[in-house]
Amino acid sequence: MPANESGPSVKKKGRRARLLVLVLVLALLAGLGYGAYWSVDTVRASFPQTTGSLKVPGLTGTVDVKRDEHGIPQLYADNDEDLFRAQGFVHAQDRFWEMDVRRHMTSGRLSEMFGSGQVETDAFLRTLGWRHVAQEEYDKKLSPETKKYLQAYADGVNAYLKGKSGKDLSVEHAALKLTDGYKPEQWTPVDSVAWLKAMAWDLRGNMQDEIDRSLMTNKLSQAQIDELYPPYPFDRNKPIVEGGTVSGGKYNPQGTPGSGSTGTGRGTGTGTTGTGTGTGAGSSTTPGAGSQATPNGATGATGLADNATAQGATVGLRTQLGSLAKTLDEIPAILGPNGSGIGSNSWVVSGQYTTTGKPLLANDPHLSPQLPSVWYQMGLHCRATSPQCQYDVAGYTFSGMPGVVIGHNADIAWGMTNLGADVTDLYLEQVRPEGYVYDNKVVPFTTREEEIKVAGGKSKKITVRTTNNGPLISDRSDELETVGSRAPVPSSAPDRGDGYAVALRWTALDPGKSMDAVFKLDRAKDFNSFRAAAADFEVPSQNLIYADNKGANGNIGYQAPGRIPIRNQGDGRLPAPGWDPKYAWKGGRDGNAGYIPQNEMPWELNPARGYIVTANQAVTESAPAGTGNSTGTGNSTGTGNSTGTGTGASAAAGKYPYVLTTDWGYGARSQRINDLIEAKTKDNGKISTDDMRAMQMDNSSEIAALLTPMLAKIQVSDPDVRSAQKLLEGWNYTQESDSAAAAYFNAVWRNILKLAFGDKMPKELRVEGSCMNVSEESTGPNDDLTKTVRECGTRGPDSAQPDGGDRWFEVVRRLVKDEKSQWWTATPKTVHDKPIKTRDELFARAMEDARWELTAKLGKDQSTWSWGRLHQLTLKNQTIGKEGPGFMQWLLNRGPWNVGGGEATVNATGWNASSGYGVTWVPSMRMVVNLGDLDKSRWINLTGASGHAYAGTYTDQTEMWAKGELLEWSFGKDAVDKSTKETLTLKP
């Protein structure tokens, strides 16, 4: 791949300059010898005290902190506030650098730590207003009990900070203090609440797909785009729940529509004249034409304004959306790249099918590899549970936030995966000097002034402007300030004036109660209290699985929570016209309560199949486009909502009546887990804890199983390519670290994607440094090489397309039967070669290109090839470990590890096929909860408990994680006491 011919952005230059100052200070701390050793005093000064006793102001009684050999703490207290006060203290002991960076990020204050290079990032985050929303949640939404816990946690953090600065906190803080006299400020409850906004941002759903589809219209027809976003394969990959629907205002998991039900529904049509029909007595009012594109739409619908095609309406947005995509790439992705890789696996098996006779529950969220890990393992125990001390819970926590996010208590266990609901929409706004156009009127902006303080520089002031649809994120980019002059709009659209702006509507920007949900989950006793807790888990929307040990075989369950919008018109797949009230969300700023009612969200308890699998596949099958699901008489044309009163079925053919999203993961991982469970339980087989662990490490490749037999039949004349082709003979499609066949297949797959799809993408979607010759008049590939220019991709490596995820599995699965599809065409390597016109010709070229790519990367000798040598995991310390000089990265970072697994496998060590083979997301932790004996549960973290680079527990779990091993997970007091290696007593 050609090197990136452009230099780093001004923003990156500024950030790196600031980091260079920091690392030079660290080099001075290291002493002589070019950083050959670090001052022992500097390194060890921040190591926490883990034995003996310490006084913590505010405690009303003693708290014991018992750590095992991996430094994982179990806390014991006599009341709730002491428990959370101690949690804040211990989090700060091990992870305060991480906490400090996080709170500066969520509040848009990174410039205070890292200087002018972060001003643009801060400005974008201030525009989103995470901190303001968190403050409003704390002030108006959260319960008094939750506020009490948040304050206790903050008091614990501040007790640790008292009298400490610089090297007493971390090596990184030592550098900041010496460069600018930086001193951390006091922790506040809102610092903790704001972290949920960062979590929601990285799990926000299909915003990237919305941008990408719009950018594709510059080069591809609507029919071509639809081929790249195929519908979910319900006939092959099972959804999470099957057969459920809504009746009488409640979700019925058995899927039996109630008779005589009355409700409000949504009829959706395809194309420009699709129809949806409501039934029953009454009246219906439905907006008609002007629907956004649907997955199978054959004609151009836009989502912008009546009678404008999707391609025409988005041409003028290309510059803005391309720039927005760049901006999104620059925002710190704490949890991972947003897109098909952000996912997780979780499944639960009834005791009827386990060796223990009680449920087994597994979970492994797929997030960005972080050092330290985004998770912190911990137990929070009341010595005796009572109304004053309600918690006995253990699991995975976020440093900087009280409570346990995923884990189990004495009664239930739960896990999470990203539901992927469509909770964001981009709106095109007509801007005037005095405001913005809405419903044929000019409405004043809501504005606020923000001051960004800059370490080592002058403060910057910005003005945040907000419409009824949300903040104007286009204000944060010069390129987004105006729309290109070519943007076609229909006569019904307002005059463009100085151009269109882009606003973001996002559920997380409305205050909610997700923090309440964390504490409710931690103390839930049964399925009803679990569901009550889930009802408050508004953002981010997650799939929640459940297990308990009550009854003969225990109980298993599922709940889909979250604040998911009901759109008046449009389906959220493309930017919508902000000036048109028909496209506004029903809920929030525009009036009526318009989120899907929690009572109507999918759930199930003890399904007959005996297990539940969630791995980012479709939750359920919604009523198909063009089918009315409401009562009332009348037809809906295009995409719209039909409402009325009367009697009739709640949803067509018993399908779910609401659209949660059209951009699901495509079910490759979930169906593999389904298949593994069914195979294991066949003929009365039982599943053990170790079986669950083995399933988490399954490396089978669905796309390899589809394509390898085809590749084996390709006629190859080059002996070196033929030798590589033979690696695929007899291969079982598993991607083990030592597999040469896996290495070759994945290289072929990457080159198939590049030739068939990548070279046909607009530059805004192609990876930085991916350059090609194109005609001067068009951005498309050119067969006539006489008039060409060099065009290079602009997309960051984590979000470039095609990324090779399971959406691309489905795209290729549908295309391989058509050997002469237009997608199988490609330009020749040289003027002497023939153009590629068929599938097999393209496959042959990909096999050849893959052979020489691996020769360059791994050597000519195929016996030395292995997937792990290509597919490596390197853990990078935050900030300095990512952009500092090489010797500092060597000091702070760890790895690489050669790992197995791959994209859209159960062992989801993801990689982006557009940018290379390196690991970009991972199972960030793994756990298997044994409800028959909680002390026989198992868990592992990606790194270790400590955030201090030279502590013994910095990465002590990583090698075991890479091998698929799990640690013992002590929960009961006797088991904890047996595993305890160090005890610290916190005293008033």
Side-chain angles (χ1 to χ4, degrees):
M1 183 178 292
N4 189 351
E5 296 176 2
S6 63
S9 67
V10 173
K11 176 178 178 180
K12 286 187 175 180
K13 285 180 179 178
R15 178 164 63 235
R16 288 171 180 165
R18 170 69 175 162
L19 289 171
L20 180 60
V21 174
L22 297 181
V23 297
L24 289 175
V25 171
L26 287 173
L28 292 175
L29 293 174
L32 300 175
Y34 194 58
Y37 66 92
W38 286 33
S39 162
V40 173
D41 177 62
T42 301
V43 170
R44 297 186 62 85
S46 58
F47 286 8
Q49 180 179 335
T50 55
T51 60
S53 63
L54 285 170
K55 289 186 177 182
V56 176
L59 287 177
T60 61
T62 61
V63 179
D64 292 325
V65 182
K66 300 183 178 184
R67 295 178 183 261
D68 66 10
E69 63 180 316
H70 298 284
I72 299 171
Q74 305 285 336
L75 278 55
Y76 289 84
D78 293 320
N79 62 73
D80 294 339
E81 288 179 86
D82 278 358
L83 194 59
F84 294 118
R85 186 174 284 106
Q87 185 183 21
F89 186 91
V90 173
H91 272 167
Q93 277 189 308
D94 281 332
R95 298 284 191 93
F96 186 69
W97 171 253
E98 177 185 42
M99 294 165 62
D100 205 15
V101 172
R102 282 180 178 177
R103 68 164 162 180
H104 279 80
M105 190 272 288
T106 58
S107 58
R109 296 170 55 203
L110 289 169
S111 299
E112 294 179 21
M113 298 182 79
F114 304 112
S116 60
Q118 292 294 327
V119 168
E120 291 179 19
T121 295
D122 284 345
F124 187 82
L125 294 172
R126 298 281 187 102
T127 299
L128 292 179
W130 293 352
R131 176 77 183 197
H132 288 275
V133 179
Q135 185 71 58
E136 193 172 354
E137 286 183 356
Y138 185 79
D139 292 340
K140 300 178 181 180
K141 292 289 186 178
L142 298 181
S143 70
E145 185 179 53
T146 294
K147 292 182 181 181
K148 181 173 66 175
Y149 297 158
L150 287 165
Q151 187 61 60
Y153 181 90
D155 291 343
V157 175
N158 293 329
Y160 179 74
L161 293 180
K162 187 176 181 180
K164 294 183 176 68
S165 64
K167 68 178 183 179
D168 299 325
L169 296 172
S170 71
V171 171
E172 296 93 336
H173 280 109
L176 286 177
K177 184 177 181 181
L178 289 178
T179 52
D180 283 313
Y182 174 84
K183 184 177 181 180
E185 62 190 35
Q186 294 281 287
W187 193 266
T188 72
V190 179
D191 291 333
S192 297
V193 177
W195 166 242
L196 287 172
K197 300 305 170 186
M199 182 179 171
W201 176 256
D202 280 354
L203 301 174
R204 63 191 177 272
N206 76 337
M207 180 173 166
Q208 192 68 62
D209 288 324
E210 188 174 339
I211 293 171
D212 288 355
R213 277 189 288 262
S214 298
L215 291 171
M216 285 179 183
T217 60
N218 186 63
K219 290 190 64 174
L220 304 175
S221 69
Q222 186 61 49
Q224 289 174 315
I225 295 172
D226 290 342
E227 286 186 300
L228 300 186
Y229 288 89
Y232 185 88
F234 286 100
D235 59 334
R236 191 178 67 257
N237 295 343
K238 296 178 182 178
I240 297 173
V241 298
E242 300 177 73
T245 190
V246 173
S247 60
K250 294 183 179 180
Y251 181 81
N252 181 353
Q254 303 306 316
T256 305
S259 61
S261 61
T262 301
T264 296
R266 305 172 69 239
T268 307
T270 59
T272 57
T273 59
T275 61
T277 303
T279 61
S283 60
S284 175
T285 59
T286 306
S291 68
Q292 290 182 302
T294 58
N296 296 316
T299 59
T302 71
L304 290 175
D306 296 349
N307 303 318
T309 67
Q311 182 171 353
T314 56
V315 166
L317 287 177
R318 183 185 179 195
T319 299
Q320 294 91 317
L321 294 177
S323 180
L324 176 58
K326 287 182 180 180
T327 301
L328 296 180
D329 281 341
E330 292 292 328
I331 302 304
I334 288 183
L335 299 184
N338 183 261
S340 63
I342 279 283
S344 302
N345 300 322
S346 67
W347 66 95
V348 60
V349 182
S350 167
Q352 181 181 355
Y353 298 106
T354 68
T355 58
T356 66
K358 298 292 184 180
L360 294 171
L361 184 150
N363 195 192
D364 55 288
H366 307 157
L367 306 172
S368 175
Q370 303 276 327
L371 183 58
S373 167
V374 70
W375 300 108
Y376 185 91
Q377 296 152 288
M378 178 178 271
L380 301 173
H381 308 277
C382 290
R383 294 189 179 99
T385 56
S386 67
Q388 290 73 40
C389 202
Q390 306 173 74
Y391 296 89
D392 188 16
V393 61
Y396 294 86
T397 72
F398 288 132
S399 60
M401 196 178 92
V404 170
V405 178
I406 295 174
H408 70 82
N409 58 34
D411 297 292
I412 75 164
W414 68 95
M416 297 184 188
T417 63
N418 193 23
L419 192 149
D422 185 358
V423 295
T424 60
D425 277 343
L426 296 174
Y427 282 90
L428 196 64
E429 302 283 6
Q430 169 60 27
V431 175
R432 301 287 176 81
E434 64 274 24
Y436 61 97
V437 175
Y438 183 72
D439 197 17
N440 297 315
K441 299 175 183 177
V442 177
V443 181
F445 291 109
T446 299
T447 63
R448 69 175 187 271
E449 300 293 325
E450 297 271 358
E451 182 179 7
I452 300 173
K453 297 180 180 179
V454 181
K458 185 179 179 180
S459 296
K460 306 290 184 180
K461 290 186 178 181
I462 65 169
T463 299
V464 176
R465 300 188 296 173
T466 301
T467 74
N468 63 311
N469 290 314
L472 287 186
I473 55 177
S474 55
D475 282 352
R476 301 283 69 85
S477 168
D478 292 340
E479 291 181 339
L480 282 168
E481 288 182 357
T482 59
V483 173
S485 60
R486 295 180 298 159
V489 291
S491 57
S492 60
D495 178 74
R496 73 176 68 251
D498 291 330
Y500 295 127
V502 179
L504 172 66
R505 185 78 168 93
W506 178 32
T507 56
L509 298 184
D510 293 336
K513 299 185 291 183
S514 293
M515 198 68 238
D516 284 346
V518 173
F519 296 113
K520 289 182 179 180
L521 276 174
D522 286 356
R523 60 176 186 261
K525 300 292 185 182
D526 52 28
F527 190 60
N528 287 336
S529 54
F530 165 80
R531 291 191 67 207
D536 285 339
F537 209 105
E538 296 166 327
V539 292
S541 185
Q542 299 288 287
N543 295 306
L544 297 178
I545 60 168
Y546 167 92
D548 68 39
N549 59 9
K550 298 174 177 63
N553 300 122
N555 298 291
I556 64 173
Y558 165 80
Q559 176 68 61
R563 182 187 287 160
I564 300 173
I566 299 174
R567 293 168 175 84
N568 280 312
Q569 186 161 314
D571 61 8
R573 291 173 58 84
L574 289 169
W579 56 81
D580 189 342
K582 293 195 298 290
Y583 288 88
W585 288 6
K586 279 190 173 182
R589 301 181 185 89
D590 271 45
N592 301 325
Y595 298 116
I596 299 174
Q598 185 62 32
N599 283 342
E600 298 183 14
M601 290 289 286
W603 64 273
E604 63 181 353
L605 179 66
N606 296 326
R609 63 185 176 275
Y611 62 89
I612 301 169
V613 175
T614 82
N616 317 114
Q617 79 272 38
V619 171
T620 187
E621 188 169 5
S622 298
T627 303
N629 63 341
S630 65
T631 59
T633 300
N635 296 333
S636 60
T637 302
T639 298
N641 301 329
S642 55
T643 62
T645 60
T647 60
S650 305
K655 301 294 177 61
Y656 187 65
Y658 300 105
V659 176
L660 301 175
T661 186
T662 58
D663 290 309
W664 303 110
Y666 283 78
R669 283 180 288 109
S670 61
Q671 192 56 44
R672 175 62 177 171
I673 297 168
N674 276 302
D675 293 343
L676 290 170
I677 293 173
E678 291 179 2
K680 192 66 181 179
T681 57
K682 185 179 180 181
D683 299 326
N684 298 316
K686 303 289 185 179
I687 293 177
S688 68
T689 300
D690 195 61
D691 290 330
M692 300 283 276
R693 181 204 63 79
M695 291 179 191
Q696 289 179 323
M697 295 302 294
D698 182 81
N699 288 328
S700 177
S701 169
E702 178 187 290
I703 194 64
L706 174 69
L707 295 184
T708 299
M710 299 180 188
L711 297 174
K713 295 177 182 179
I714 301 293
Q715 295 298 313
V716 175
S717 58
D718 188 301
D720 289 317
V721 179
R722 173 60 185 144
S723 177
Q725 184 185 36
K726 287 182 178 180
L727 291 172
L728 303 178
E729 296 176 2
W731 180 44
N732 63 359
Y733 317 131
T734 60
Q735 301 168 100
E736 305 298 336
S737 175
D738 60 358
S739 172
Y744 182 58
F745 172 79
N746 282 316
V748 174
W749 170 236
R750 180 177 183 234
N751 280 278
I752 288 173
L753 291 170
K754 178 181 183 297
L755 292 167
F757 309 105
D759 289 349
K760 300 177 179 69
M761 293 286 174
K763 66 180 180 180
E764 293 88 354
L765 271 68
R766 299 201 311 270
V767 70
E768 290 177 329
S770 175
C771 302
M772 56 192 299
N773 294 324
V774 300
S775 67
E776 291 180 316
E777 295 76 23
S778 165
T779 58
N782 184 22
D783 292 334
D784 181 358
L785 303 182
T786 58
K787 293 183 179 180
T788 62
V789 294
R790 194 72 168 160
E791 180 190 77
C792 295
T794 62
R795 181 64 64 84
D798 287 343
S799 58
Q801 294 295 330
D803 61 17
D806 64 355
R807 172 165 68 88
W808 294 100
F809 289 13
E810 187 64 19
V811 168
V812 171
R813 181 186 298 280
R814 289 168 174 264
L815 291 175
V816 288
K817 295 178 182 179
D818 182 1
E819 297 184 19
K820 295 184 179 180
S821 166
Q822 60 181 339
W823 294 107
W824 302 131
T825 62
T827 55
K829 276 187 175 181
T830 70
V831 294
H832 304 293
D833 296 324
K834 295 181 179 179
I836 294 170
K837 296 183 178 181
T838 69
R839 179 198 69 192
D840 287 354
E841 288 175 357
L842 187 140
F843 282 10
R845 165 76 178 276
M847 293 173 70
E848 178 184 350
D849 290 352
R851 176 45 163 119
W852 302 122
E853 181 184 4
L854 294 197
T855 298
K857 291 179 179 293
L858 303 179
K860 188 174 183 179
D861 184 357
Q862 292 174 192
S863 67
T864 67
W865 290 5
S866 70
W867 174 226
R869 287 183 62 200
L870 282 176
H871 191 52
Q872 293 186 324
L873 168 66
T874 298
L875 296 173
K876 296 183 178 181
N877 186 279
Q878 296 298 296
T879 59
I880 297 172
K882 290 187 174 182
E883 296 186 7
F887 81 94
M888 289 305 304
Q889 294 186 27
W890 178 80
L891 289 168
L892 293 171
N893 298 344
R894 299 293 182 269
W897 284 266
N898 297 346
V899 298
E903 181 68 28
T905 63
V906 180
N907 182 22
T909 54
W911 55 288
N912 187 309
S914 287
S915 54
Y917 303 97
V919 175
T920 56
W921 51 79
V922 294
S924 56
M925 62 79 159
R926 299 187 185 102
M927 75 175 192
V928 178
V929 182
N930 182 337
L931 274 297
D933 185 346
L934 292 172
D935 289 326
K936 292 184 179 178
S937 301
R938 299 290 183 266
W939 62 350
I940 198 76
N941 205 350
L942 175 64
T943 61
S946 181
H948 302 289
Y950 284 88
T953 57
Y954 188 49
T955 57
D956 63 316
Q957 297 185 51
T958 307
E959 188 66 30
M960 293 176 285
W961 174 92
K963 294 177 180 178
E965 299 173 0
L966 299 176
L967 300 175
E968 293 184 357
W969 183 353
S970 299
F971 179 72
K973 187 176 185 305
D974 291 342
V976 169
D977 287 343
K978 186 176 180 180
S979 63
T980 296
K981 301 299 181 184
E982 297 177 318
T983 299
L984 172 68
T985 300
L986 304 179
K987 297 181 177 181

